[in-house]
Amino acid sequence: MRLRQSVHFFLLGMFVGLSLSGLIYWGFKSIWFGNLLTGHLGRTDVASVTPWLAPIVWEGTFDATLIDPLCKQQNITIATTLFALGKYTRFLKDFLESAEEHYFVGFRVHYYLFTDQPEEVPNVKLGQDRYLTVKKVPSLNRWQDISMGRMEILEKLIENELANRADYIFCLDVDTKFYGRWGVETLGRLVGVIHPWFFNVPRFIFTYEHRRESQAYIPAGEGDYYYTAAAFGGSLKDVHKLTKTCREQMNIDAANSIEAIWHEESHLNKYFFYNKPSKLLSPEYLWRDISMSAGQVKIIRFSHVAKNNAEVRPNL
């Protein structure tokens, strides 16, 4: 009897010991337990999760050595749209060359470039499984129309071409440059990027559309974050719904002779207010100027470049 009890205690001890060893091992190998047990990941100086429990991606909140191999197994394709009309073609070379160095490196990327000057597209060498499709679009006289017209073009692109050709899509401004990693940590069902001018200011500063007459209207005192329209993305299904909704609401405004205060960005913020993003990217993923800094921003991954708006925009 005593021998049997000893064996039982011995086996129970082995089971508990092996279980604890397994938890500790996998804890150090996983992001979630890594945060809990090692403190190597996670930030205490910034919010890394929204009130609706969507992650906010900052430097120090993900481990690329863990997530990259997992996504590699899924054989994903990321469609990426750019709009370079008029003098904005001058930004293409820096954008594409820096993207090839930093943007979803090692993954299949298909750039879709919309321009009124295909002959001005630079010859940039792309890596393996990296593609560029150039699509000609009409010239426009107002930069506001160029910005707002993107929603309909994206909607039609997803409907007509991308269904079996991509898994995710990002729409990015072309007057930008990559300075650091933009990888699979950014992928999600619906992804918004926190505007670099408004990530650390109170809500009443946000430049939402507050006129009730506009379809982009958000009541004063409401709202979560202020998102930039210079970078957003997600799954094809969710971005299609976003672009279709924004396009429909802008058409209603146009029929009523209303233009939202910040054009398609106002409608994007209205959409994100009522359709919460599943993931937010910190201002690391769209900074205002590489020469500016902020304490919470440890690395600038993607930034607008300095330019003279009056010189490059057609109606300024």
Side-chain angles (χ1 to χ4, degrees):
M1 183 69 177
R2 187 171 298 172
L3 176 62
R4 183 179 298 174
Q5 288 178 336
S6 298
V7 170
H8 286 168
F9 280 118
F10 174 75
L11 292 174
L12 178 62
M14 283 188 63
F15 174 77
V16 172
L18 289 171
S19 298
L20 288 174
S21 298
L23 283 174
I24 292 171
Y25 172 77
W26 287 110
F28 278 90
K29 295 292 286 184
S30 70
I31 294 176
W32 189 83
F33 276 104
N35 286 338
L36 184 64
L37 298 178
T38 70
H40 291 166
L41 292 171
R43 295 276 294 271
T44 58
D45 59 328
V46 292
S48 57
V49 66
T50 70
W52 59 93
L53 301 182
I56 305 175
V57 182
W58 295 85
E59 173 70 6
T61 63
F62 64 91
D63 187 338
T65 64
L66 294 179
I67 60 177
D68 282 359
L70 293 174
C71 289
K72 274 283 190 181
Q73 297 172 15
Q74 300 176 30
N75 196 31
I76 59 175
T77 299
I78 302 100
T80 303
T81 61
L82 311 168
F83 292 78
L85 279 75
K87 295 180 180 180
Y88 276 74
T89 55
R90 69 180 61 175
F91 302 112
L92 281 168
K93 189 173 187 294
D94 276 352
F95 178 97
L96 290 170
E97 287 182 346
S98 65
E100 286 301 286
E101 185 178 353
H102 299 293
Y103 182 70
F104 288 109
V105 175
F107 290 86
R108 188 182 302 109
V109 172
H110 197 145
Y111 305 103
Y112 291 86
L113 168 62
F114 298 89
T115 180
D116 56 347
Q117 301 173 79
E119 68 280 2
E120 294 296 322
V121 177
N123 184 18
V124 174
K125 184 178 179 180
L126 303 181
Q128 183 179 0
D129 288 330
R130 316 278 285 197
Y131 310 95
L132 172 64
T133 296
V134 179
K135 293 179 172 291
K136 187 171 183 178
V137 293
S139 301
L140 295 170
N141 293 325
R142 299 175 69 244
W143 70 267
Q144 295 91 337
D145 294 332
I146 295 172
S147 293
M148 291 189 290
R150 295 188 304 175
M151 291 299 185
E152 182 173 5
I153 292 174
L154 286 169
E155 176 192 356
K156 300 307 179 187
L157 177 70
I158 295 170
E159 286 178 3
N160 299 331
E161 295 191 38
L162 297 187
N164 298 312
R165 298 183 182 179
D167 302 285
Y168 297 93
I169 184 170
F170 277 97
C171 179
L172 305 177
D173 272 10
V174 73
D175 53 333
T176 49
K177 185 176 179 179
F178 291 90
Y179 296 91
R181 171 195 167 96
W182 179 312
V184 295
E185 72 279 358
T186 65
L187 296 178
R189 180 182 56 79
L190 186 61
V191 181
V193 181
I194 300 173
H195 198 296
W197 292 1
F198 301 107
F199 77 98
N200 58 354
V201 300
R203 182 189 300 157
F204 73 87
I205 301 293
F206 295 172
T207 54
Y208 293 144
E209 174 57 73
H210 290 312
R211 291 175 296 171
R212 294 178 181 272
E213 298 81 9
S214 173
Q215 295 295 307
Y217 168 69
I218 294 177
E222 295 192 25
D224 305 303
Y225 299 88
Y226 191 88
Y227 304 92
T228 177
F232 62 91
S235 71
L236 297 185
K237 177 182 176 181
D238 284 271
V239 175
H240 179 263
K241 182 180 177 184
L242 180 157
T243 55
K244 183 175 186 289
T245 302
C246 289
R247 188 262 305 165
E248 290 173 343
Q249 293 187 344
M250 285 189 288
N251 286 347
I252 293 172
D253 273 5
N256 293 319
S257 300
I258 300 171
E259 194 169 273
I261 182 172
W262 285 110
H263 323 295
E264 88 283 11
E265 187 169 272
S266 298
H267 291 275
L268 178 78
N269 273 275
K270 166 73 173 295
Y271 186 87
F272 279 156
F273 179 49
Y274 290 103
N275 303 270
K276 306 298 188 192
S278 62
K279 180 176 287 186
L280 278 65
L281 306 184
S282 71
E284 297 171 1
Y285 292 88
L286 196 284
W287 195 236
R288 48 194 152 182
D289 186 338
I290 192 66
S291 65
M292 302 181 71
S293 62
Q296 300 98 320
V297 180
K298 307 298 183 185
I299 179 174
I300 296 173
R301 306 174 186 278
F302 187 52
S303 176
H304 275 117
V305 297
K307 65 182 184 297
N308 181 350
N309 286 333
E311 195 266 329
V312 297
R313 289 179 174 176
N315 59 308
L316 285 182

